Amino acid sequence: MALLAEYRCKATPARRVVEVYDADAYLSDDDAMAAARTQVVAGNSYHLYLLSLQPDIDVEVAIRVWDIAPDPPAEVEGHVPISIESETGVLVVNQLEYGPAGEMPLPRPGVYEGHAWWENRQATADYYATTLDHPTDDTFEDHLTQAWNNPPVTERYVLDLAYIREPEPVDDEDL
């Protein structure tokens, strides 16, 4: 297995969600969002939703393209199989409340399959809950800002993908 491309960025999971989608597939999908509530990562071919357990501490999103997608590491907190189609060859990492956190040019447009896996999701949620236990006084906001900017662990989502085939042709009648 050879790593062909890699991209990493930090994103704030506003409303507990970070999205990854093809640059032209910016419309949301309620069914895929609902599936993410039980699967942690779910999508609809053009869109993936990554569901955090907290809304304020930045998470790391890594997108890695391989010649053959590897299996998720054994020690991860969870994983699911994924597929995403990119007609443009560009994937966007989006924060619901704040807009794009970054974008990754893929080696070529097409359908990519592999696994999404995550780590430190529960540990970050537990840390988040303890930061809210601070007494509400004049220093409360400063305390939260400091705590959320310096968590003891990094919640991380990794998309390990491999190119499978060309994208589906766009039917002009659908436009």
Side-chain angles (χ1 to χ4, degrees):
M1 285 178 271
L3 181 62
L4 306 175
E6 182 173 13
Y7 176 76
R8 293 175 184 274
C9 69
K10 295 280 189 174
T12 304
R15 290 191 247 155
R16 300 181 3 191
V17 176
V18 173
E19 303 171 284
V20 176
Y21 55 82
D22 176 69
D24 277 352
Y26 47 85
L27 295 176
S28 62
D29 182 308
D30 292 338
D31 291 338
M33 179 79 86
R37 288 187 183 97
T38 58
Q39 295 173 211
V40 180
V41 177
N44 67 356
S45 297
Y46 295 98
H47 221 114
L48 291 172
Y49 294 96
L50 318 175
L51 188 71
S52 178
L53 295 172
Q54 53 81 31
D56 294 307
I57 299 172
D58 284 353
V59 302
E60 179 182 287
V61 177
I63 303 169
R64 305 187 306 190
V65 178
W66 302 82
D67 59 346
I68 299 170
D71 290 333
E75 69 279 357
V76 299
E77 197 169 326
H79 61 87
V80 294
I82 58 169
S83 176
I84 191 161
E85 183 170 345
S86 178
E87 293 175 0
T88 64
V90 176
L91 293 180
V92 175
V93 177
N94 189 53
Q95 308 163 106
L96 288 182
E97 298 289 323
Y98 308 110
E103 61 182 44
M104 176 191 187
L106 295 167
R108 60 182 166 174
V111 176
Y112 290 79
E113 293 181 352
H115 287 88
W117 55 270
W118 53 92
E119 61 187 359
N120 296 324
R121 184 173 179 258
Q122 186 61 56
T124 302
D126 293 345
Y127 174 74
Y128 179 77
T130 64
T131 65
L132 297 176
D133 289 339
H134 192 273
T136 53
D137 57 18
D138 291 342
T139 65
F140 184 66
E141 281 189 44
D142 292 338
H143 163 75
L144 288 181
T145 301
Q146 180 70 15
W148 295 347
N149 286 337
N150 300 294
V153 296
T154 299
E155 183 174 352
R156 185 172 153 202
Y157 297 86
V158 179
L159 310 180
D160 280 329
L161 303 168
Y163 176 84
I164 301 299
R165 63 177 169 78
E166 292 289 320
E168 291 293 323
V170 176
D171 186 356
D172 291 336
E173 292 180 17
D174 291 340
L175 298 176

